[in-house]
Amino acid sequence: MTADAPAYFNGTFMPVSQVKVSPLDRGFLFGDGMYEVIPAFDRHFLDLEGHLERLDRCLQAIKIPNPHSIAEWRDICQHLIDADDATDTKVYVQVTRGVQSVRNHDFSGDESATVFAMCNAQSLPDPASIENGISLFTEEEIRWSNCHLKSTSLLANVLLKNASSVKGGAETLVVNSGRVVEGSSSNAFAVFDGEVHTPPNGKEILPGITRNLVIQLARDCGIHVVETELPLAEVLRADEVWISSSTRGVLAATRINNEPVGNGVPGPVWRRVHERYQAMVDELRSGG
């Protein structure tokens, strides 16, 4: 991202370098806010409505009035990607509870939300990661009990992700009471005898927009998808394991904790779903 990357801050479009946030903003002090990351391909958003509706649900859950309507958010996001030089971009949107005159854990409900959005180029998965798969490591859950809210309080996720990065892994599978719930920044899938299993939506996982899309693409391929718990012991014996996220699409994992997944290469079920996903992205790029 460059210093002159397009941004939006409290009603004004400006280069991101000109955005100034108060140190008394509750987002800075407490992580008191929600966010979204919305991918676009050739200036066409991938499920913009789904991301904006989830942002609205999350803001309602923590009692921050949504500062914009869906239509207003749509215009803001479109303006940002149109102003950016990159072809494939992502818009980051963040809403915090706003600024208080003194640091105080309590909030009155009268605060004025701080609204920030910026656009920069997508860092798409490299061809080797797509073709050869990625390596995952497992870590025990250390996050709060409302993982379904896309909160800006991401310290635990940062630590979980770093625990794998330092070992050469691309992502961390989070394990809670012996069950894989999701990745540190992704949703998780496992394949058993041609059937796709993924944890159900609930407070333990983020209801991923790309997760929902992957489920639909799999079903469009005639693949049976079951939303069910994923015991770690079964995941380690799965034929295939995948992760999905807005910025990575759907990727196959070929190693977990330095042990091969299945036969150690991306599997045939993943390839069918990934081809559908890539075809959808290509259609967006062509204006479809």
Side-chain angles (χ1 to χ4, degrees), residues 136-144 147 156-157 159-161 164 171-188 199 204-205 230 232 235 243:
L136 310 179
F137 289 88
T138 58
E139 294 287 336
E140 288 296 320
E141 177 69 277
I142 58 172
R143 303 171 301 170
W144 68 327
C147 294
N157 297 70
L159 295 175
L160 287 166
K161 183 70 174 285
S164 287
E171 175 63 307
T172 298
L173 290 179
V174 182
V175 179
N176 190 343
S177 301
R179 298 167 293 111
V180 171
V181 290
E182 60 181 350
S184 60
S185 60
S186 62
N187 291 107
E204 288 186 322
I205 77 166
L230 286 181
L232 175 60
V235 171
I243 63 164

PDB file of all heavy atoms in Angstrom, residues 136-144 147 156-157 159-161 164 171-188 199 204-205 230 232 235 243:
ATOM      1  N   LEU A 136      -0.065 -26.222   7.539  1.00  0.00           N
ATOM      2  CA  LEU A 136      -0.782 -25.704   8.697  1.00  0.00           C
ATOM      3  C   LEU A 136      -0.183 -26.265   9.985  1.00  0.00           C
ATOM      4  O   LEU A 136       0.409 -27.342   9.990  1.00  0.00           O
ATOM      5  CB  LEU A 136      -2.262 -26.094   8.647  1.00  0.00           C
ATOM      6  CG  LEU A 136      -3.047 -25.823   7.366  1.00  0.00           C
ATOM      7  CD1 LEU A 136      -4.482 -26.306   7.527  1.00  0.00           C
ATOM      8  CD2 LEU A 136      -3.014 -24.351   7.019  1.00  0.00           C
ATOM      9  N   PHE A 137      -0.376 -25.528  11.061  1.00  0.00           N
ATOM     10  CA  PHE A 137      -0.054 -26.022  12.397  1.00  0.00           C
ATOM     11  C   PHE A 137      -1.255 -25.785  13.293  1.00  0.00           C
ATOM     12  O   PHE A 137      -2.095 -24.920  13.016  1.00  0.00           O
ATOM     13  CB  PHE A 137       1.190 -25.323  12.964  1.00  0.00           C
ATOM     14  CG  PHE A 137       2.468 -25.730  12.296  1.00  0.00           C
ATOM     15  CD1 PHE A 137       2.912 -25.063  11.161  1.00  0.00           C
ATOM     16  CD2 PHE A 137       3.205 -26.786  12.774  1.00  0.00           C
ATOM     17  CE1 PHE A 137       4.083 -25.438  10.523  1.00  0.00           C
ATOM     18  CE2 PHE A 137       4.380 -27.185  12.144  1.00  0.00           C
ATOM     19  CZ  PHE A 137       4.824 -26.501  11.017  1.00  0.00           C
ATOM     20  N   THR A 138      -1.370 -26.569  14.341  1.00  0.00           N
ATOM     21  CA  THR A 138      -2.502 -26.443  15.259  1.00  0.00           C
ATOM     22  C   THR A 138      -2.063 -25.755  16.543  1.00  0.00           C
ATOM     23  O   THR A 138      -0.923 -25.904  16.991  1.00  0.00           O
ATOM     24  CB  THR A 138      -3.096 -27.819  15.608  1.00  0.00           C
ATOM     25  OG1 THR A 138      -2.080 -28.650  16.202  1.00  0.00           O
ATOM     26  CG2 THR A 138      -3.625 -28.513  14.357  1.00  0.00           C
ATOM     27  N   GLU A 139      -2.976 -24.983  17.113  1.00  0.00           N
ATOM     28  CA  GLU A 139      -2.756 -24.318  18.400  1.00  0.00           C
ATOM     29  C   GLU A 139      -4.061 -24.334  19.175  1.00  0.00           C
ATOM     30  O   GLU A 139      -5.151 -24.281  18.594  1.00  0.00           O
ATOM     31  CB  GLU A 139      -2.302 -22.869  18.210  1.00  0.00           C
ATOM     32  CG  GLU A 139      -0.935 -22.706  17.572  1.00  0.00           C
ATOM     33  CD  GLU A 139       0.214 -23.076  18.503  1.00  0.00           C
ATOM     34  OE1 GLU A 139       0.012 -23.010  19.742  1.00  0.00           O
ATOM     35  OE2 GLU A 139       1.287 -23.430  17.992  1.00  0.00           O
ATOM     36  N   GLU A 140      -3.962 -24.357  20.510  1.00  0.00           N
ATOM     37  CA  GLU A 140      -5.148 -24.329  21.348  1.00  0.00           C
ATOM     38  C   GLU A 140      -5.801 -22.947  21.331  1.00  0.00           C
ATOM     39  O   GLU A 140      -5.124 -21.923  21.209  1.00  0.00           O
ATOM     40  CB  GLU A 140      -4.790 -24.710  22.788  1.00  0.00           C
ATOM     41  CG  GLU A 140      -4.453 -26.181  22.972  1.00  0.00           C
ATOM     42  CD  GLU A 140      -5.628 -27.098  22.688  1.00  0.00           C
ATOM     43  OE1 GLU A 140      -6.773 -26.746  23.075  1.00  0.00           O
ATOM     44  OE2 GLU A 140      -5.412 -28.159  22.077  1.00  0.00           O
ATOM     45  N   GLU A 141      -7.105 -22.938  21.453  1.00  0.00           N
ATOM     46  CA  GLU A 141      -7.882 -21.708  21.456  1.00  0.00           C
ATOM     47  C   GLU A 141      -7.471 -20.794  22.604  1.00  0.00           C
ATOM     48  O   GLU A 141      -7.361 -21.236  23.749  1.00  0.00           O
ATOM     49  CB  GLU A 141      -9.366 -22.063  21.579  1.00  0.00           C
ATOM     50  CG  GLU A 141     -10.310 -20.882  21.660  1.00  0.00           C
ATOM     51  CD  GLU A 141     -10.398 -20.101  20.372  1.00  0.00           C
ATOM     52  OE1 GLU A 141      -9.514 -19.249  20.152  1.00  0.00           O
ATOM     53  OE2 GLU A 141     -11.350 -20.335  19.593  1.00  0.00           O
ATOM     54  N   ILE A 142      -7.225 -19.510  22.292  1.00  0.00           N
ATOM     55  CA  ILE A 142      -6.910 -18.532  23.342  1.00  0.00           C
ATOM     56  C   ILE A 142      -7.763 -17.278  23.184  1.00  0.00           C
ATOM     57  O   ILE A 142      -7.532 -16.272  23.860  1.00  0.00           O
ATOM     58  CB  ILE A 142      -5.415 -18.122  23.319  1.00  0.00           C
ATOM     59  CG1 ILE A 142      -5.032 -17.527  21.956  1.00  0.00           C
ATOM     60  CG2 ILE A 142      -4.533 -19.298  23.678  1.00  0.00           C
ATOM     61  CD1 ILE A 142      -3.638 -16.921  21.917  1.00  0.00           C
ATOM     62  N   ARG A 143      -8.784 -17.322  22.302  1.00  0.00           N
ATOM     63  CA  ARG A 143      -9.572 -16.131  22.006  1.00  0.00           C
ATOM     64  C   ARG A 143     -10.801 -16.042  22.909  1.00  0.00           C
ATOM     65  O   ARG A 143     -11.054 -16.905  23.727  1.00  0.00           O
ATOM     66  CB  ARG A 143      -9.987 -16.151  20.530  1.00  0.00           C
ATOM     67  CG  ARG A 143      -8.798 -16.246  19.572  1.00  0.00           C
ATOM     68  CD  ARG A 143      -9.240 -16.488  18.148  1.00  0.00           C
ATOM     69  NE  ARG A 143     -10.002 -17.721  18.028  1.00  0.00           N
ATOM     70  CZ  ARG A 143     -10.682 -18.091  16.951  1.00  0.00           C
ATOM     71  NH1 ARG A 143     -10.689 -17.305  15.890  1.00  0.00           N
ATOM     72  NH2 ARG A 143     -11.336 -19.233  16.925  1.00  0.00           N
ATOM     73  N   TRP A 144     -11.581 -14.961  22.727  1.00  0.00           N
ATOM     74  CA  TRP A 144     -12.777 -14.758  23.523  1.00  0.00           C
ATOM     75  C   TRP A 144     -13.921 -15.616  22.997  1.00  0.00           C
ATOM     76  O   TRP A 144     -13.773 -16.336  22.008  1.00  0.00           O
ATOM     77  CB  TRP A 144     -13.146 -13.280  23.580  1.00  0.00           C
ATOM     78  CG  TRP A 144     -13.608 -12.646  22.291  1.00  0.00           C
ATOM     79  CD1 TRP A 144     -13.206 -12.944  21.019  1.00  0.00           C
ATOM     80  CD2 TRP A 144     -14.572 -11.604  22.164  1.00  0.00           C
ATOM     81  NE1 TRP A 144     -13.848 -12.136  20.115  1.00  0.00           N
ATOM     82  CE2 TRP A 144     -14.691 -11.299  20.781  1.00  0.00           C
ATOM     83  CE3 TRP A 144     -15.337 -10.870  23.077  1.00  0.00           C
ATOM     84  CZ2 TRP A 144     -15.555 -10.309  20.304  1.00  0.00           C
ATOM     85  CZ3 TRP A 144     -16.187  -9.887  22.590  1.00  0.00           C
ATOM     86  CH2 TRP A 144     -16.289  -9.617  21.225  1.00  0.00           C
ATOM     87  N   CYS A 147     -16.405 -15.283  18.838  1.00  0.00           N
ATOM     88  CA  CYS A 147     -15.610 -15.276  17.611  1.00  0.00           C
ATOM     89  C   CYS A 147     -16.459 -15.035  16.368  1.00  0.00           C
ATOM     90  O   CYS A 147     -15.923 -14.814  15.278  1.00  0.00           O
ATOM     91  CB  CYS A 147     -14.851 -16.593  17.473  1.00  0.00           C
ATOM     92  SG  CYS A 147     -13.599 -16.824  18.751  1.00  0.00           S
ATOM     93  N   ALA A 156      -5.254 -11.978  19.967  1.00  0.00           N
ATOM     94  CA  ALA A 156      -5.162 -13.445  20.076  1.00  0.00           C
ATOM     95  C   ALA A 156      -4.987 -14.076  18.694  1.00  0.00           C
ATOM     96  O   ALA A 156      -4.186 -15.008  18.520  1.00  0.00           O
ATOM     97  CB  ALA A 156      -6.408 -13.998  20.764  1.00  0.00           C
ATOM     98  N   ASN A 157      -5.709 -13.576  17.687  1.00  0.00           N
ATOM     99  CA  ASN A 157      -5.551 -14.101  16.334  1.00  0.00           C
ATOM    100  C   ASN A 157      -4.139 -13.855  15.807  1.00  0.00           C
ATOM    101  O   ASN A 157      -3.553 -14.698  15.121  1.00  0.00           O
ATOM    102  CB  ASN A 157      -6.567 -13.449  15.390  1.00  0.00           C
ATOM    103  CG  ASN A 157      -7.986 -13.759  15.772  1.00  0.00           C
ATOM    104  OD1 ASN A 157      -8.469 -13.274  16.796  1.00  0.00           O
ATOM    105  ND2 ASN A 157      -8.685 -14.545  14.976  1.00  0.00           N
ATOM    106  N   LEU A 159      -1.390 -13.616  17.589  1.00  0.00           N
ATOM    107  CA  LEU A 159      -0.479 -14.555  18.254  1.00  0.00           C
ATOM    108  C   LEU A 159      -0.630 -15.965  17.707  1.00  0.00           C
ATOM    109  O   LEU A 159       0.362 -16.688  17.521  1.00  0.00           O
ATOM    110  CB  LEU A 159      -0.727 -14.530  19.760  1.00  0.00           C
ATOM    111  CG  LEU A 159      -0.416 -13.206  20.465  1.00  0.00           C
ATOM    112  CD1 LEU A 159      -0.823 -13.269  21.928  1.00  0.00           C
ATOM    113  CD2 LEU A 159       1.060 -12.849  20.336  1.00  0.00           C
ATOM    114  N   LEU A 160      -1.864 -16.367  17.441  1.00  0.00           N
ATOM    115  CA  LEU A 160      -2.096 -17.699  16.873  1.00  0.00           C
ATOM    116  C   LEU A 160      -1.482 -17.820  15.489  1.00  0.00           C
ATOM    117  O   LEU A 160      -0.849 -18.835  15.158  1.00  0.00           O
ATOM    118  CB  LEU A 160      -3.605 -17.982  16.811  1.00  0.00           C
ATOM    119  CG  LEU A 160      -4.283 -18.269  18.145  1.00  0.00           C
ATOM    120  CD1 LEU A 160      -5.804 -18.182  17.998  1.00  0.00           C
ATOM    121  CD2 LEU A 160      -3.896 -19.647  18.667  1.00  0.00           C
ATOM    122  N   LYS A 161      -1.655 -16.803  14.662  1.00  0.00           N
ATOM    123  CA  LYS A 161      -1.088 -16.830  13.311  1.00  0.00           C
ATOM    124  C   LYS A 161       0.437 -16.862  13.374  1.00  0.00           C
ATOM    125  O   LYS A 161       1.094 -17.621  12.654  1.00  0.00           O
ATOM    126  CB  LYS A 161      -1.569 -15.606  12.533  1.00  0.00           C
ATOM    127  CG  LYS A 161      -1.111 -15.544  11.087  1.00  0.00           C
ATOM    128  CD  LYS A 161      -1.804 -16.609  10.247  1.00  0.00           C
ATOM    129  CE  LYS A 161      -1.470 -16.464   8.768  1.00  0.00           C
ATOM    130  NZ  LYS A 161      -2.184 -15.344   8.137  1.00  0.00           N
ATOM    131  N   SER A 164       2.314 -20.209  13.934  1.00  0.00           N
ATOM    132  CA  SER A 164       2.577 -21.046  12.757  1.00  0.00           C
ATOM    133  C   SER A 164       3.619 -20.419  11.847  1.00  0.00           C
ATOM    134  O   SER A 164       4.452 -21.115  11.264  1.00  0.00           O
ATOM    135  CB  SER A 164       1.286 -21.283  11.973  1.00  0.00           C
ATOM    136  OG  SER A 164       0.438 -22.169  12.652  1.00  0.00           O
ATOM    137  N   GLU A 171      -0.831 -20.943   8.000  1.00  0.00           N
ATOM    138  CA  GLU A 171      -2.032 -20.656   8.784  1.00  0.00           C
ATOM    139  C   GLU A 171      -2.063 -21.571  10.003  1.00  0.00           C
ATOM    140  O   GLU A 171      -1.411 -22.627  10.026  1.00  0.00           O
ATOM    141  CB  GLU A 171      -3.279 -20.858   7.920  1.00  0.00           C
ATOM    142  CG  GLU A 171      -4.625 -20.725   8.612  1.00  0.00           C
ATOM    143  CD  GLU A 171      -4.928 -19.349   9.184  1.00  0.00           C
ATOM    144  OE1 GLU A 171      -4.084 -18.851   9.941  1.00  0.00           O
ATOM    145  OE2 GLU A 171      -6.007 -18.800   8.884  1.00  0.00           O
ATOM    146  N   THR A 172      -2.825 -21.166  11.008  1.00  0.00           N
ATOM    147  CA  THR A 172      -3.002 -21.948  12.230  1.00  0.00           C
ATOM    148  C   THR A 172      -4.426 -22.463  12.306  1.00  0.00           C
ATOM    149  O   THR A 172      -5.383 -21.694  12.133  1.00  0.00           O
ATOM    150  CB  THR A 172      -2.709 -21.083  13.469  1.00  0.00           C
ATOM    151  OG1 THR A 172      -1.358 -20.640  13.429  1.00  0.00           O
ATOM    152  CG2 THR A 172      -2.949 -21.866  14.755  1.00  0.00           C
ATOM    153  N   LEU A 173      -4.584 -23.740  12.554  1.00  0.00           N
ATOM    154  CA  LEU A 173      -5.885 -24.310  12.866  1.00  0.00           C
ATOM    155  C   LEU A 173      -6.109 -24.187  14.367  1.00  0.00           C
ATOM    156  O   LEU A 173      -5.302 -24.675  15.162  1.00  0.00           O
ATOM    157  CB  LEU A 173      -5.957 -25.781  12.441  1.00  0.00           C
ATOM    158  CG  LEU A 173      -5.980 -26.083  10.951  1.00  0.00           C
ATOM    159  CD1 LEU A 173      -6.026 -27.592  10.732  1.00  0.00           C
ATOM    160  CD2 LEU A 173      -7.160 -25.405  10.262  1.00  0.00           C
ATOM    161  N   VAL A 174      -7.198 -23.534  14.751  1.00  0.00           N
ATOM    162  CA  VAL A 174      -7.490 -23.295  16.164  1.00  0.00           C
ATOM    163  C   VAL A 174      -8.280 -24.473  16.718  1.00  0.00           C
ATOM    164  O   VAL A 174      -9.306 -24.868  16.151  1.00  0.00           O
ATOM    165  CB  VAL A 174      -8.276 -21.988  16.341  1.00  0.00           C
ATOM    166  CG1 VAL A 174      -8.531 -21.716  17.815  1.00  0.00           C
ATOM    167  CG2 VAL A 174      -7.521 -20.819  15.696  1.00  0.00           C
ATOM    168  N   VAL A 175      -7.804 -25.016  17.831  1.00  0.00           N
ATOM    169  CA  VAL A 175      -8.392 -26.220  18.425  1.00  0.00           C
ATOM    170  C   VAL A 175      -9.020 -25.862  19.769  1.00  0.00           C
ATOM    171  O   VAL A 175      -8.358 -25.300  20.651  1.00  0.00           O
ATOM    172  CB  VAL A 175      -7.332 -27.322  18.612  1.00  0.00           C
ATOM    173  CG1 VAL A 175      -7.959 -28.564  19.246  1.00  0.00           C
ATOM    174  CG2 VAL A 175      -6.683 -27.661  17.280  1.00  0.00           C
ATOM    175  N   ASN A 176     -10.295 -26.168  19.930  1.00  0.00           N
ATOM    176  CA  ASN A 176     -11.020 -25.898  21.163  1.00  0.00           C
ATOM    177  C   ASN A 176     -11.619 -27.210  21.664  1.00  0.00           C
ATOM    178  O   ASN A 176     -12.450 -27.821  20.995  1.00  0.00           O
ATOM    179  CB  ASN A 176     -12.133 -24.873  20.901  1.00  0.00           C
ATOM    180  CG  ASN A 176     -12.774 -24.358  22.174  1.00  0.00           C
ATOM    181  OD1 ASN A 176     -12.630 -24.955  23.240  1.00  0.00           O
ATOM    182  ND2 ASN A 176     -13.496 -23.259  22.072  1.00  0.00           N
ATOM    183  N   SER A 177     -11.167 -27.655  22.830  1.00  0.00           N
ATOM    184  CA  SER A 177     -11.663 -28.902  23.439  1.00  0.00           C
ATOM    185  C   SER A 177     -11.565 -30.072  22.463  1.00  0.00           C
ATOM    186  O   SER A 177     -12.493 -30.866  22.330  1.00  0.00           O
ATOM    187  CB  SER A 177     -13.112 -28.724  23.909  1.00  0.00           C
ATOM    188  OG  SER A 177     -13.215 -27.674  24.846  1.00  0.00           O
ATOM    189  N   GLY A 178     -10.440 -30.163  21.782  1.00  0.00           N
ATOM    190  CA  GLY A 178     -10.198 -31.287  20.892  1.00  0.00           C
ATOM    191  C   GLY A 178     -10.831 -31.164  19.521  1.00  0.00           C
ATOM    192  O   GLY A 178     -10.763 -32.099  18.716  1.00  0.00           O
ATOM    193  N   ARG A 179     -11.459 -30.005  19.218  1.00  0.00           N
ATOM    194  CA  ARG A 179     -12.136 -29.811  17.933  1.00  0.00           C
ATOM    195  C   ARG A 179     -11.495 -28.656  17.167  1.00  0.00           C
ATOM    196  O   ARG A 179     -11.209 -27.611  17.753  1.00  0.00           O
ATOM    197  CB  ARG A 179     -13.614 -29.484  18.145  1.00  0.00           C
ATOM    198  CG  ARG A 179     -14.410 -30.568  18.841  1.00  0.00           C
ATOM    199  CD  ARG A 179     -15.770 -30.054  19.292  1.00  0.00           C
ATOM    200  NE  ARG A 179     -15.643 -29.064  20.349  1.00  0.00           N
ATOM    201  CZ  ARG A 179     -15.925 -27.778  20.213  1.00  0.00           C
ATOM    202  NH1 ARG A 179     -16.365 -27.306  19.050  1.00  0.00           N
ATOM    203  NH2 ARG A 179     -15.786 -26.943  21.220  1.00  0.00           N
ATOM    204  N   VAL A 180     -11.280 -28.846  15.877  1.00  0.00           N
ATOM    205  CA  VAL A 180     -10.862 -27.743  15.024  1.00  0.00           C
ATOM    206  C   VAL A 180     -12.077 -26.851  14.796  1.00  0.00           C
ATOM    207  O   VAL A 180     -13.124 -27.323  14.334  1.00  0.00           O
ATOM    208  CB  VAL A 180     -10.314 -28.246  13.676  1.00  0.00           C
ATOM    209  CG1 VAL A 180     -10.081 -27.081  12.714  1.00  0.00           C
ATOM    210  CG2 VAL A 180      -9.019 -29.034  13.877  1.00  0.00           C
ATOM    211  N   VAL A 181     -11.970 -25.562  15.139  1.00  0.00           N
ATOM    212  CA  VAL A 181     -13.105 -24.664  14.959  1.00  0.00           C
ATOM    213  C   VAL A 181     -12.953 -23.793  13.713  1.00  0.00           C
ATOM    214  O   VAL A 181     -13.917 -23.546  12.987  1.00  0.00           O
ATOM    215  CB  VAL A 181     -13.358 -23.807  16.215  1.00  0.00           C
ATOM    216  CG1 VAL A 181     -13.897 -24.675  17.335  1.00  0.00           C
ATOM    217  CG2 VAL A 181     -12.104 -23.057  16.671  1.00  0.00           C
ATOM    218  N   GLU A 182     -11.742 -23.298  13.457  1.00  0.00           N
ATOM    219  CA  GLU A 182     -11.460 -22.496  12.263  1.00  0.00           C
ATOM    220  C   GLU A 182      -9.973 -22.209  12.234  1.00  0.00           C
ATOM    221  O   GLU A 182      -9.216 -22.673  13.086  1.00  0.00           O
ATOM    222  CB  GLU A 182     -12.265 -21.191  12.264  1.00  0.00           C
ATOM    223  CG  GLU A 182     -12.003 -20.277  13.443  1.00  0.00           C
ATOM    224  CD  GLU A 182     -12.849 -19.008  13.402  1.00  0.00           C
ATOM    225  OE1 GLU A 182     -13.493 -18.743  12.364  1.00  0.00           O
ATOM    226  OE2 GLU A 182     -12.869 -18.275  14.405  1.00  0.00           O
ATOM    227  N   GLY A 183      -9.536 -21.418  11.245  1.00  0.00           N
ATOM    228  CA  GLY A 183      -8.172 -20.945  11.230  1.00  0.00           C
ATOM    229  C   GLY A 183      -8.068 -19.613  11.945  1.00  0.00           C
ATOM    230  O   GLY A 183      -9.071 -18.982  12.280  1.00  0.00           O
ATOM    231  N   SER A 184      -6.843 -19.158  12.179  1.00  0.00           N
ATOM    232  CA  SER A 184      -6.659 -17.879  12.867  1.00  0.00           C
ATOM    233  C   SER A 184      -7.170 -16.717  12.025  1.00  0.00           C
ATOM    234  O   SER A 184      -7.519 -15.669  12.570  1.00  0.00           O
ATOM    235  CB  SER A 184      -5.185 -17.667  13.218  1.00  0.00           C
ATOM    236  OG  SER A 184      -4.382 -17.650  12.056  1.00  0.00           O
ATOM    237  N   SER A 185      -7.236 -16.886  10.704  1.00  0.00           N
ATOM    238  CA  SER A 185      -7.824 -15.867   9.831  1.00  0.00           C
ATOM    239  C   SER A 185      -8.534 -16.520   8.649  1.00  0.00           C
ATOM    240  O   SER A 185      -8.480 -16.021   7.528  1.00  0.00           O
ATOM    241  CB  SER A 185      -6.742 -14.894   9.329  1.00  0.00           C
ATOM    242  OG  SER A 185      -5.742 -15.581   8.597  1.00  0.00           O
ATOM    243  N   SER A 186      -9.190 -17.640   8.916  1.00  0.00           N
ATOM    244  CA  SER A 186      -9.835 -18.391   7.841  1.00  0.00           C
ATOM    245  C   SER A 186     -10.858 -19.359   8.429  1.00  0.00           C
ATOM    246  O   SER A 186     -10.917 -19.557   9.636  1.00  0.00           O
ATOM    247  CB  SER A 186      -8.791 -19.177   7.035  1.00  0.00           C
ATOM    248  OG  SER A 186      -8.132 -20.126   7.872  1.00  0.00           O
ATOM    249  N   ASN A 187     -11.653 -19.965   7.552  1.00  0.00           N
ATOM    250  CA  ASN A 187     -12.531 -21.066   7.943  1.00  0.00           C
ATOM    251  C   ASN A 187     -11.924 -22.386   7.495  1.00  0.00           C
ATOM    252  O   ASN A 187     -11.065 -22.414   6.598  1.00  0.00           O
ATOM    253  CB  ASN A 187     -13.924 -20.889   7.338  1.00  0.00           C
ATOM    254  CG  ASN A 187     -14.680 -19.722   7.950  1.00  0.00           C
ATOM    255  OD1 ASN A 187     -14.858 -18.688   7.323  1.00  0.00           O
ATOM    256  ND2 ASN A 187     -15.121 -19.877   9.193  1.00  0.00           N
ATOM    257  N   ALA A 188     -12.339 -23.475   8.110  1.00  0.00           N
ATOM    258  CA  ALA A 188     -11.714 -24.778   7.886  1.00  0.00           C
ATOM    259  C   ALA A 188     -12.707 -25.789   7.319  1.00  0.00           C
ATOM    260  O   ALA A 188     -13.896 -25.780   7.671  1.00  0.00           O
ATOM    261  CB  ALA A 188     -11.126 -25.307   9.196  1.00  0.00           C
ATOM    262  N   PRO A 199     -17.196 -26.890  10.337  1.00  0.00           N
ATOM    263  CA  PRO A 199     -17.917 -26.548  11.571  1.00  0.00           C
ATOM    264  C   PRO A 199     -19.102 -25.635  11.284  1.00  0.00           C
ATOM    265  O   PRO A 199     -19.034 -24.764  10.409  1.00  0.00           O
ATOM    266  CB  PRO A 199     -16.857 -25.836  12.410  1.00  0.00           C
ATOM    267  CG  PRO A 199     -15.551 -26.379  11.911  1.00  0.00           C
ATOM    268  CD  PRO A 199     -15.757 -26.559  10.439  1.00  0.00           C
ATOM    269  N   GLU A 204     -18.354 -19.839  18.091  1.00  0.00           N
ATOM    270  CA  GLU A 204     -16.956 -20.270  18.045  1.00  0.00           C
ATOM    271  C   GLU A 204     -16.250 -19.892  16.752  1.00  0.00           C
ATOM    272  O   GLU A 204     -15.021 -19.927  16.689  1.00  0.00           O
ATOM    273  CB  GLU A 204     -16.858 -21.788  18.236  1.00  0.00           C
ATOM    274  CG  GLU A 204     -17.155 -22.261  19.632  1.00  0.00           C
ATOM    275  CD  GLU A 204     -16.903 -23.746  19.788  1.00  0.00           C
ATOM    276  OE1 GLU A 204     -17.194 -24.517  18.860  1.00  0.00           O
ATOM    277  OE2 GLU A 204     -16.389 -24.133  20.853  1.00  0.00           O
ATOM    278  N   ILE A 205     -17.014 -19.575  15.698  1.00  0.00           N
ATOM    279  CA  ILE A 205     -16.377 -19.284  14.422  1.00  0.00           C
ATOM    280  C   ILE A 205     -16.962 -18.015  13.813  1.00  0.00           C
ATOM    281  O   ILE A 205     -18.096 -17.626  14.121  1.00  0.00           O
ATOM    282  CB  ILE A 205     -16.516 -20.442  13.413  1.00  0.00           C
ATOM    283  CG1 ILE A 205     -17.924 -20.474  12.796  1.00  0.00           C
ATOM    284  CG2 ILE A 205     -16.177 -21.780  14.052  1.00  0.00           C
ATOM    285  CD1 ILE A 205     -18.022 -21.362  11.577  1.00  0.00           C
ATOM    286  N   LEU A 230     -15.580 -30.806  13.909  1.00  0.00           N
ATOM    287  CA  LEU A 230     -14.400 -31.424  13.296  1.00  0.00           C
ATOM    288  C   LEU A 230     -13.406 -31.821  14.387  1.00  0.00           C
ATOM    289  O   LEU A 230     -12.529 -31.031  14.750  1.00  0.00           O
ATOM    290  CB  LEU A 230     -13.722 -30.447  12.334  1.00  0.00           C
ATOM    291  CG  LEU A 230     -14.362 -30.157  10.985  1.00  0.00           C
ATOM    292  CD1 LEU A 230     -13.494 -29.181  10.193  1.00  0.00           C
ATOM    293  CD2 LEU A 230     -14.575 -31.437  10.196  1.00  0.00           C
ATOM    294  N   LEU A 232     -10.160 -32.920  16.044  1.00  0.00           N
ATOM    295  CA  LEU A 232      -8.803 -32.833  15.513  1.00  0.00           C
ATOM    296  C   LEU A 232      -8.282 -34.201  15.085  1.00  0.00           C
ATOM    297  O   LEU A 232      -7.640 -34.317  14.033  1.00  0.00           O
ATOM    298  CB  LEU A 232      -7.866 -32.227  16.564  1.00  0.00           C
ATOM    299  CG  LEU A 232      -6.382 -32.192  16.194  1.00  0.00           C
ATOM    300  CD1 LEU A 232      -6.156 -31.376  14.923  1.00  0.00           C
ATOM    301  CD2 LEU A 232      -5.553 -31.636  17.348  1.00  0.00           C
ATOM    302  N   VAL A 235      -9.567 -34.842  11.692  1.00  0.00           N
ATOM    303  CA  VAL A 235      -8.971 -33.943  10.696  1.00  0.00           C
ATOM    304  C   VAL A 235      -7.588 -34.436  10.296  1.00  0.00           C
ATOM    305  O   VAL A 235      -7.208 -34.392   9.119  1.00  0.00           O
ATOM    306  CB  VAL A 235      -8.905 -32.504  11.247  1.00  0.00           C
ATOM    307  CG1 VAL A 235      -8.092 -31.596  10.329  1.00  0.00           C
ATOM    308  CG2 VAL A 235     -10.309 -31.947  11.439  1.00  0.00           C
ATOM    309  N   ILE A 243      -8.654 -24.449   3.674  1.00  0.00           N
ATOM    310  CA  ILE A 243      -9.042 -23.227   4.378  1.00  0.00           C
ATOM    311  C   ILE A 243      -9.651 -22.271   3.359  1.00  0.00           C
ATOM    312  O   ILE A 243      -9.382 -22.377   2.156  1.00  0.00           O
ATOM    313  CB  ILE A 243      -7.863 -22.554   5.098  1.00  0.00           C
ATOM    314  CG1 ILE A 243      -6.791 -22.104   4.094  1.00  0.00           C
ATOM    315  CG2 ILE A 243      -7.289 -23.454   6.175  1.00  0.00           C
ATOM    316  CD1 ILE A 243      -5.786 -21.118   4.653  1.00  0.00           C
TER     317      ILE A 243
END
